Amino acid sequence: MKIFSYNVNGIRAAMSKGFTQWLKAADPDVICLQEIKALESQIDLPALEEIGYTYHYFHSAEKKGYSGVAILSKTAPTQVEVGAGIDYMDREGRILRADYGDLSIMSLYLPSGTNIDRLDHKLQFMADFQNYINELKKTHPNLIICGDYNICHEAIDIHDPVRNANVSGFLPVERKWLDDFLKSGFIDSFRFFHKEPHNYSWWSYRANARANNKGWRIDYCLVAQPLENRLLRAAILPEAKHSDHCPILVEIQ
């Protein structure tokens, strides 16, 4: 199964930039989207269905034009779970899960911490999300959590670790949380296959950052440890340019 994840920074904007044509060519079995910034009724579903994504599920934020996640699929999932059952998370449309046989695939959009209020919100979300996943793994051990975590894990995952040491997304408290989350039973699928630096999934729109590859790796497909022997491949796809992020992928046997 080929699973993609992509923060599209507005699905309608991405579709106007050729996202649908790219998706047809890339041909994932499942793609998890984040920051769709739209209601289901605002999305050109026939265009997605025409290229094979007959099954599409959305969890939009209450606030219009904000946040939201989706899962598009070529095959019918056995179960879909919208939200986490945690009110403040679900109002912002940040978690959506679809099960395919013994695999459970989640699209996650973890908050950014751009100011002190949002940083406190992010830290609370991170703590509650860890507890939620600890419980979920008891019934869904083969869990794959794809999405925008808004955190760089290590210095290798950011173009300038020194100057960004006190910037949200690379704060010690955020990095420790991600480290602990991985140690709780997950594999960073990209790093499982690729140890080299200068691999990023997000670039600022400012200062020609993408052209100069001054980016951050904040998008992950984290795979539960029981699936380690079924990992086939993982990649970042920077040539896709419909957003300030680029897609990532993992293939599972």
Side-chain angles (χ1 to χ4, degrees):
M1 178 176 273
K2 188 163 63 171
I3 304 160
F4 280 36
S5 183
Y6 197 175
N7 179 322
V8 289
N9 193 11
I11 189 169
R12 291 170 292 175
M15 290 176 81
S16 74
K17 298 172 186 174
F19 167 79
T20 310
Q21 293 79 5
W22 167 83
L23 182 60
K24 180 181 179 180
D27 197 35
D29 297 294
V30 176
I31 184 166
C32 299
L33 304 178
Q34 302 85 41
E35 212 171 351
I36 60 171
K37 297 183 177 179
L39 302 172
E40 183 174 357
S41 60
Q42 297 174 306
I43 299 167
D44 185 357
L45 300 179
L48 299 173
E49 292 167 359
E50 187 177 337
I51 62 168
Y53 295 91
T54 310
Y55 304 94
H56 33 69
Y57 307 93
F58 302 90
H59 184 24
S60 301
E62 287 183 357
K63 181 180 175 181
K64 290 185 178 179
Y66 176 73
S67 188
V69 290
I71 296 177
L72 313 179
S73 174
K74 291 196 162 188
T75 57
T78 49
Q79 180 183 349
V80 175
E81 193 71 30
V82 178
I86 300 171
D87 185 60
Y88 77 89
M89 291 184 181
D90 294 347
R91 285 200 304 270
E92 293 192 344
R94 294 189 176 274
I95 295 172
L96 178 65
R97 197 184 86 243
D99 298 341
Y100 300 85
D102 71 333
L103 293 178
S104 190
I105 301 172
M106 180 180 292
S107 184
L108 167 71
Y109 181 36
L110 203 146
S112 63
T114 47
N115 57 50
I116 190 65
D117 290 339
R118 289 304 289 181
L119 180 58
D120 288 343
H121 175 79
K122 181 179 185 178
L123 297 176
Q124 182 65 55
F125 187 107
M126 284 154 43
D128 291 341
F129 183 72
Q130 176 76 77
N131 292 332
Y132 167 68
I133 294 299
N134 289 345
E135 289 301 310
L136 183 61
K137 283 196 301 180
K138 294 176 182 178
T139 54
H140 296 76
N142 293 336
L143 188 58
I144 303 167
I145 308 175
C146 298
D148 178 0
Y149 284 69
N150 269 309
I151 302 169
C152 291
H153 183 209
E154 303 283 5
I156 195 176
D157 298 313
I158 190 168
H159 74 94
D160 192 343
V162 175
R163 291 185 184 178
N164 288 294
N166 296 311
V167 176
S168 179
F170 197 59
L171 296 174
V173 65
E174 295 168 310
R175 296 173 61 197
K176 183 181 186 305
W177 177 84
L178 185 52
D179 197 60
D180 289 343
F181 190 81
L182 287 163
K183 288 175 180 173
S184 78
F186 287 92
I187 298 162
D188 178 347
S189 60
F190 182 77
R191 284 288 172 230
F192 185 81
F193 293 101
H194 306 278
K195 311 301 182 189
E196 67 276 8
H198 312 304
N199 287 290
Y200 309 122
S201 65
W202 174 81
W203 301 262
S204 170
Y205 281 129
R206 296 191 295 271
N208 219 19
R210 189 160 188 167
N212 295 316
N213 200 30
K214 293 184 175 180
W216 300 40
R217 190 173 75 96
I218 57 176
D219 300 88
Y220 302 84
C221 290
L222 300 189
V223 175
Q225 284 178 346
L227 294 169
E228 179 175 349
N229 293 334
R230 293 167 63 180
L231 283 168
L232 298 176
R233 182 168 77 104
I236 295 174
L237 305 173
E239 68 279 4
K241 296 178 179 177
H242 317 98
S243 168
D244 50 349
H245 293 248
C246 75
I248 60 173
L249 72 84
V250 64
E251 283 193 34
I252 303 288
Q253 182 71 48

